[in-house]
Amino acid sequence: MSMPVVMTTQQLAAIDNENTRVLLSILASSIILVLTDGCRWVGDINNGTAIAILMAVLSFNALFIARFREGRHAILHRMPPAPPGTKVQPALSLVQGFLVAASVLREKVAGASVLMLLILGFASLFGMFSTGSTLIQLNEGVAFYFGKRNSFPMGPALPVGAFLVSVLLAKWTASALVARVGRKRD
């Protein structure tokens, strides 16, 4: 574990800005990959071009994140060490961060009213059925487009992601409803 350092609010804000740039880069890359999947699905581009775009996006993100990490390590290396005896919590790993976010979301869902849980349940069921029918239609050869005038075609990547989110939301909602009913019986 590296030594703790003393940071000013401006330095923390600079690191926060860099984190925002990394997240925006990943969001823009996701949009590019979804559009590439759609174009590949309707035949506007071939598989080789789609793979080249995928590799370019992954390489760009890898280099961007590496540059960001290198800059952060250089900044942290130049900062003065924290006073002796300073207690620092260890940083969360990526998996631990997702688990903490999932537990916080589960607590928020469990604390919602019964009406809100029912609305979330119906929304997740509607999402599963609509994305399932979209995937079936995509498999049958029906093309879906974002916007008007057949601008950007949609492939199966976006409906599959939406289906998985709907299933996860349905699972959390059902477990929250069961926990709520169990608490009221006690």
Side-chain angles (χ1 to χ4, degrees), residues 9-52:
T9 55
Q10 292 85 6
Q11 292 165 331
L12 283 173
I15 289 177
D16 190 36
N17 288 338
E18 286 292 324
N19 287 338
T20 303
R21 287 187 187 120
V22 168
L23 290 176
L24 288 175
S25 167
I26 291 171
L27 177 67
S29 300
S30 300
I31 292 170
I32 291 169
L33 292 177
V34 164
L35 294 176
T36 301
D37 178 57
C39 291
R40 187 199 56 78
W41 185 257
V42 297
D44 289 345
I45 60 174
N46 60 18
N47 288 339
T49 306
I51 290 172

Side-chain angles (χ1 to χ4, degrees), residues 49-64:
T49 306
I51 290 172
I53 292 171
L54 172 70
M55 295 306 294
V57 166
L58 291 177
S59 299
F60 170 77
N61 281 316
L63 290 173
F64 189 74

